[in-house]
Amino acid sequence: MRKKLFFVYNPKAGKALIKNKLADILDIFARAGYETTVAPTQKHGDAAAAVAQRRSDYDLVVCSGGDGTLDEVVTGMIQSGFNTPIGYIPAGSTNDFGGSLSLPKNMLRAAEVAVTGNNFPCDIGSFAHEEASDIFVYIAAFGLFTDVSYETAQDVKNVLGHMAYLLEGMKRLSSIRSFRVKASWENTEVEDDFIFGMITNSTSVGGFKNITGKNVKMDDGVFEVTLIKNPKNPVELNNIMMSLLNRDMDTNAMYYFRTAELTLESGEPMAWTLDGENGGTHTKVTIKNVCKGIDIRVKNPPSK
């Protein structure tokens, strides 16, 4: 009996390059011995629904698109109640998560890894708020730039890649706002004014490698957390940006720590982004690391 593969792809992701690669990708699946069911997405939510409603007899789920598509597939996987290994063919503008796992940028080589690679048990995040609980794969963030990715037109993303995020964000530097936030983790509690916060399980954000800190492991059961304080003047803001880009965490300007669970409370609603997609507006969220919550196909498991 042939193995069964469920393939979900976003035809508009990145520069829509998959349209010219689709036949070759399906051929790779077939040569690896898989009978493939194909589900192209048309709108937000399609990938999550398709994976959540899939049959339980699929041996592998493969998705192609940006990190937002992967986020939906993982969400659908959790909603289904049964776990199937996930292959990922990155095709978006930035693909932070794919880069963190050293997945090939070449789509056909990534397809080969999806069907011949090794399963890597990877951490994911639970994002609980007032209304419900969501899932994210590699980043939950609030504050500066967090609404850029889903307010930037797709065609701009396609042309500019991750620079679209930066260019759109630079327009807003004159109107930076801060949020009064109380952060609680383990036996620690702090309250301060922050312009940005990110809870990550990735070696890059927005295309910048190692901006989340050094020695990041994606299966260690903890997140890397960066909370940036409100700068008093443009010079301080510039110093913060340089500190991040140089991977030198300035403890006077930010909090940086690792934790498996974190609660953030604000006096006013804050907009969140989950894996580059709209995560809603909330006054209190509790974020938990789901250690080794999914199996991702990789060529070689990340080094310990």
Side-chain angles (χ1 to χ4, degrees):
M1 182 179 295
R2 299 190 73 187
K3 298 175 289 186
K4 295 182 181 293
L5 185 154
F6 190 68
F7 181 44
V8 183
Y9 74 95
N10 179 354
K12 299 179 182 178
K15 299 178 182 179
L17 293 178
I18 195 170
K19 292 181 180 179
N20 298 323
K21 305 288 186 181
L22 187 58
D24 291 331
I25 289 172
L26 295 177
D27 184 57
I28 289 170
F29 296 164
R31 284 191 280 109
Y34 284 97
E35 176 185 313
T36 302
T37 300
V38 181
T41 64
Q42 301 298 317
K43 62 184 183 303
H44 178 75
D46 281 358
V51 173
Q53 297 165 13
R54 78 193 187 286
R55 301 191 310 271
S56 61
D57 61 347
Y58 283 104
D59 301 282
L60 179 65
V61 172
V62 179
C63 66
S64 182
D67 289 336
T69 300
L70 178 64
D71 176 283
E72 285 199 32
V73 168
V74 172
T75 297
M77 185 72 68
I78 300 300
Q79 291 174 347
S80 74
F82 53 93
N83 193 15
T84 305
I86 298 173
Y88 182 32
I89 304 174
S93 306
T94 308
N95 301 315
D96 289 311
F97 191 72
S100 297
L101 293 174
S102 299
L103 295 178
K105 293 182 180 179
N106 179 284
M107 298 180 73
L108 299 186
R109 286 202 287 269
E112 292 277 5
V113 170
V115 292
T116 65
N118 302 297
N119 290 342
F120 171 62
C122 184
D123 298 347
I124 57 175
S126 167
F127 183 84
H129 49 85
E130 300 92 335
E131 294 86 17
S133 181
D134 297 317
I135 294 294
F136 66 95
V137 177
Y138 76 97
I139 183 171
F142 70 87
L144 187 66
F145 300 159
T146 54
D147 59 349
V148 170
S149 62
Y150 49 84
E151 286 190 1
T152 304
Q154 184 63 49
D155 57 348
V156 176
K157 286 188 189 180
N158 292 345
V159 172
L160 299 177
H162 77 256
M163 284 300 296
Y165 300 94
L166 301 180
L167 293 175
E168 188 67 23
M170 289 298 291
K171 298 175 185 177
R172 302 162 183 238
L173 288 179
S174 61
S175 58
I176 292 175
R177 63 175 302 189
S178 63
F179 297 89
R180 189 72 180 178
V181 176
K182 181 171 71 174
S184 308
W185 70 98
E186 297 175 4
N187 296 317
T188 305
E189 182 176 293
V190 300
E191 186 170 352
D192 213 324
D193 295 319
F194 298 106
I195 61 169
F196 177 75
M198 61 180 177
I199 298 87
T200 60
N201 188 45
S202 174
T203 60
S204 71
V205 170
F208 290 106
K209 293 183 178 179
N210 301 322
I211 201 171
T212 59
K214 301 175 182 178
N215 304 315
V216 173
K217 293 181 173 62
M218 301 176 69
D219 61 347
D220 58 3
V222 295
F223 292 120
E224 285 67 42
V225 181
T226 306
L227 303 174
I228 299 178
K229 300 177 186 178
N230 187 27
K232 297 181 176 64
N233 52 60
V235 173
E236 286 192 5
L237 176 61
N238 183 66
N239 290 340
I240 289 171
M241 296 300 183
M242 294 304 298
S243 176
L244 286 172
L245 294 176
N246 293 329
R247 292 81 172 170
D248 177 25
M249 298 305 176
D250 182 354
T251 55
N252 292 321
M254 66 187 75
Y255 294 92
Y256 175 78
F257 54 93
R258 290 182 168 96
T259 186
E261 182 174 341
L262 172 71
T263 297
L264 296 166
E265 300 175 76
S266 57
E268 58 182 312
M270 293 193 306
W272 284 83
T273 178
L274 304 178
D275 297 328
E277 302 296 325
N278 190 342
T281 301
H282 314 288
T283 57
K284 181 178 180 180
V285 301
T286 296
I287 298 170
K288 296 181 181 180
N289 185 292
V290 182
C291 186
K292 301 180 179 179
I294 55 168
D295 289 329
I296 295 283
R297 283 284 173 90
V298 297
K299 183 173 183 180
N300 297 304
S303 59
K304 298 291 184 182

